[in-house]
């Protein structure tokens, strides 16, 4: 895609390392010709050796103080040069850091940080479920395991009044990301009460003192999953609404639940529900929702909301709604963008297509065949360096081994 403005009058600084950050950088490069600056303590493959990203390497030992110091240094440099700089992130820990330090950072940056109270509500799966219930938005039955008192000698996990198997996951991702323990998973499928107790004791031993949620297992394979991406501008209007059907998710323990292939297609009811939720809580900025179709009653159940644009945000840009444009129009140009509802159907995938086809059948297989004929959109497959072409090819090939190891054949539950 040709750039529209080869000499933009603003800069972009980002925090992160994953394909979501590259997808964002690509969107700004496609639309404005911007070479983004990424501050990171690890130069991972998705952002490495790129012509569209300048990387500031903080080193693996860097923590929040070093990141804030680097932001201050970069911010002062750009402010001294008379540049307006947009500061973005795409991880739970960074979302919290930007929210906590938003006023200080605004000395040098335009910071689209979510207000602390709103972030507390939306990033917390427990509070999210409460708001859904209040608004009549369907969601799975959710119970809470609180670890705040886990240092007590007589602490024991609560009894769970749900039919097993169940799904267990941290209520707030940022409270869990830094933990290290054997058997750690992003989401746990739990077959028995004894196994759930075992997991909770492992989590306790790793120092976790926040909350886990335990939810009923919604049956259905990966094709029952849906993704929603929205942008709420400074005036509270939804200027972007996009939805997609997932074809296949990632299944390695620390990435399970991340879509690996999706087809954008409009789901008006989901868009309406997401917009209603975001306006109700006073949200501003990008948001991403995970939803699943429950085959037992045909109802879409909202699982959670990510208070950020999401790892696979490039599916929106690939469908013709460049995500960089919405935040730039709102916060840099300070104008109102006309609402865009994404209706174009495209295939977004990080997988080799023969591998993806092995996991599809019936309607999903037919849908993939029809949409893939128009092309496949990979967020990292861009007009970048030769090193990156080789990296993308290797990353795609590595998925063959990953699926053989962690998800050799599709299951009725997606686990």
């Amino acid at each position: 895609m040709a750039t529209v403005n080869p000499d933009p009058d603003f800069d972009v600084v980002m925090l992160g390392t994953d394909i979501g950050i590259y997808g964002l950088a690509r969107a700004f490069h496609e639309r404005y010709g911007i070479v983004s600056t990424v501050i990171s303590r690890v130069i991972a493959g998705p952002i490495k050796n790129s012509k569209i990203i300048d990387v500031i390497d903080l080193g693996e030992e860097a923590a929040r103080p070093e990141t804030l110091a680097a932001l201050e240094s970069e911010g002062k440099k750009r402010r001294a040069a008379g540049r307006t700089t947009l500061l973005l992130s795409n991880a739970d820990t960074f979302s919290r850091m930007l929210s906590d330090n938003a006023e200080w950072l605004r000395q040098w940056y335009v910071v689209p940080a979510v207000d602390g109270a709103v972030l507390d509500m939306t990033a917390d799966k427990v509070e999210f479920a409460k708001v859904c219930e209040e608004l009549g938005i369907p969601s799975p039955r959710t119970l809470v395991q609180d670890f705040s008192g886990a240092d007590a000698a007589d602490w024991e996990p609560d009894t769970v009044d749900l039919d097993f198997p169940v799904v267990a996951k941290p209520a707030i991702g940022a409270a869990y990301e830094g933990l290290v323990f054997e058997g750690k998973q992003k989401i746990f499928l739990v077959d028995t009460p004894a196994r759930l107790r075992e997991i909770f004791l492992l989590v306790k031993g790793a120092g976790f003192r926040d909350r886990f949620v335990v939810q009923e297992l919604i049956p259905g394979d990966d094709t029952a999953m849906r993704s929603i991406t929205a942008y709420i501008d400074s005036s509270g209007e939804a200027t972007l609404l996009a939805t997609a059907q997932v074809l296949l998710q990632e299944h390695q323990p620390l990435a399970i639940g991340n879509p690996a292939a999706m087809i954008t297609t409009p789901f008006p009811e989901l868009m309406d529900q997401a917009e209603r939720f975001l306006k109700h809580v006073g949200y501003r900025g990008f948001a991403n929702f995970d939803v699943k179709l429950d085959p037992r009653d045909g109802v879409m159940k909202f699982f959670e909301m990510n208070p950020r644009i999401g790892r696979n945000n490039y599916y929106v840009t690939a469908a013709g709604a460049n995500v960089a444009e919405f935040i730039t129009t709102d916060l840099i140009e300070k104008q109102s963008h006309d609402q865009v509802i994404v209706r174009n159907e495209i295939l977004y995938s990080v997988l080799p297509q023969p591998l993806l086809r092995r996991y599809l059948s019936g309607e999903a297989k037919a849908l993939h065949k029809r949409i893939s004929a128009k092309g496949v959109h990979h967020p990292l497959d861009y007009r970048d360096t030769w090193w990156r072409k080789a990296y993308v090819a290797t990353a795609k090939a590595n998925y063959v081994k990953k699926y053989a190891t962690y998800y050799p054949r599709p299951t009725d539950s997606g686990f």
Side-chain angles (χ1 to χ4, degrees):
M1 183 182 295
T3 56
V4 175
N5 183 357
D7 187 24
D9 59 358
F10 68 101
D11 298 333
V12 177
V13 171
M14 300 185 192
L15 301 172
T17 62
D18 68 0
I19 65 172
I21 287 295
Y22 188 88
L24 267 177
R26 178 175 174 178
F28 278 98
H29 191 261
E30 287 185 359
R31 177 63 179 83
Y32 300 102
I34 285 176
V35 174
S36 298
T37 297
V38 173
I39 298 174
S40 176
R41 65 181 185 86
V42 178
I43 312 305
I47 64 169
K48 190 175 182 179
N49 293 338
S50 173
K51 294 188 296 187
I52 69 169
I53 294 175
D54 290 331
V55 178
I56 296 175
D57 183 359
L58 299 181
E60 292 190 23
E61 300 303 316
R64 178 179 284 202
E66 288 76 21
T67 301
L68 291 172
L71 286 172
E72 179 178 2
S73 176
E74 286 301 304
K76 286 180 176 178
K77 183 191 309 181
R78 285 164 170 77
R79 176 56 61 89
R83 302 289 292 178
T84 298
T85 305
L86 183 61
L87 177 58
L88 301 173
S89 68
N90 193 30
D92 291 335
T93 51
F94 290 138
S95 296
R96 171 58 64 185
M97 187 181 76
L98 295 189
S99 179
D100 290 345
N101 296 276
E103 289 309 309
W104 178 72
L105 289 166
R106 285 181 178 131
Q107 298 176 80
W108 312 290
Y109 297 96
V110 176
V111 186
V114 180
D115 175 76
V118 177
L119 182 62
D120 290 341
M121 181 185 302
T122 54
D124 187 326
K125 297 176 183 64
V126 177
E127 296 303 316
F128 175 81
K130 290 178 181 177
V131 175
C132 284
E133 182 176 8
E134 180 183 346
L135 297 178
I137 296 174
S139 62
R141 187 181 172 207
T142 300
L143 303 179
V144 183
Q145 175 60 61
D146 190 350
F147 287 80
S148 62
D151 289 324
D154 60 348
W155 184 87
E156 279 287 328
D158 299 331
T159 300
V160 174
D161 180 25
L162 287 173
D163 292 332
F164 282 76
V166 296
V167 174
K169 53 191 174 182
I172 302 175
Y176 184 74
E177 286 179 355
L179 291 185
V180 178
F181 62 92
E182 185 176 352
K184 181 180 178 181
Q185 297 184 27
K186 180 183 174 185
I187 303 170
F188 294 91
L189 175 65
V190 190
D191 291 326
T192 65
R195 175 56 180 157
L196 183 62
R197 181 178 184 277
E198 179 183 338
I199 291 168
F200 283 162
L201 292 178
L202 280 172
V203 171
K204 171 197 170 185
F208 185 78
R209 293 298 180 269
D210 206 283
R211 291 157 300 144
F212 253 61
V213 295
V214 183
Q215 293 178 330
E216 61 174 327
L217 175 66
I218 304 296
D221 65 15
D222 290 355
T223 62
M225 294 300 300
R226 306 289 185 264
S227 177
I228 311 170
T229 299
Y231 185 77
I232 306 294
D233 71 9
S234 301
S235 67
E237 293 303 314
T239 55
L240 170 66
L241 292 166
T243 51
Q245 175 178 342
V246 175
L247 296 180
L248 188 62
Q249 299 182 105
E250 297 198 28
H251 285 270
Q252 54 269 41
L254 297 181
I256 190 168
N258 291 331
M262 295 185 283
I263 288 177
T264 56
T265 189
F267 294 102
E269 182 180 5
L270 295 186
M271 293 179 183
D272 291 344
Q273 289 170 321
E275 181 177 3
R276 186 154 52 91
F277 180 99
L278 293 168
K279 288 185 173 181
H280 176 79
V281 300
Y283 192 85
R284 299 291 186 271
F286 285 112
N288 176 251
F289 295 82
D290 295 331
V291 184
K292 189 172 187 179
L293 173 63
D294 190 336
R296 299 170 299 184
D297 55 15
V299 175
M300 298 279 193
K301 307 288 176 67
F302 277 62
F303 280 5
E304 63 185 35
M305 185 196 119
N306 298 305
R308 47 191 170 82
I309 196 170
R311 183 176 186 271
N312 294 286
N313 63 81
Y314 192 74
Y315 81 86
V316 183
T317 299
N322 188 303
V323 294
E325 186 174 304
F326 296 90
I327 195 166
T328 300
T329 301
D330 180 27
L331 298 182
I332 301 298
E333 299 173 357
K334 300 188 184 302
Q335 296 179 8
S336 177
H337 198 293
D338 291 339
Q339 186 182 70
V340 174
I341 295 177
V342 175
R343 305 185 188 279
N344 187 30
E345 290 186 315
I346 61 97
L347 171 61
Y348 167 99
S349 175
V350 298
L351 304 174
Q353 293 309 291
L355 173 64
L356 175 56
R357 285 193 291 269
R358 277 175 36 197
Y359 287 85
L360 302 178
S361 60
E363 293 182 3
K365 185 174 183 178
L367 178 63
H368 172 266
K369 182 178 181 180
R370 177 170 65 86
I371 304 302
S372 63
K374 299 191 295 183
V376 180
H377 299 266
H378 190 302
L380 305 182
D381 188 6
Y382 191 43
R383 55 176 195 273
D384 212 315
T385 62
W386 283 105
W387 183 93
R388 294 196 59 79
K389 289 183 181 294
Y391 171 77
V392 172
T394 301
K396 290 168 70 174
N398 284 342
Y399 275 113
V400 176
K401 181 179 180 180
K402 290 177 182 179
Y403 279 88
T405 302
Y406 298 108
Y407 195 61
R409 62 189 60 84
T411 67
D412 291 339
S413 67
F415 284 92

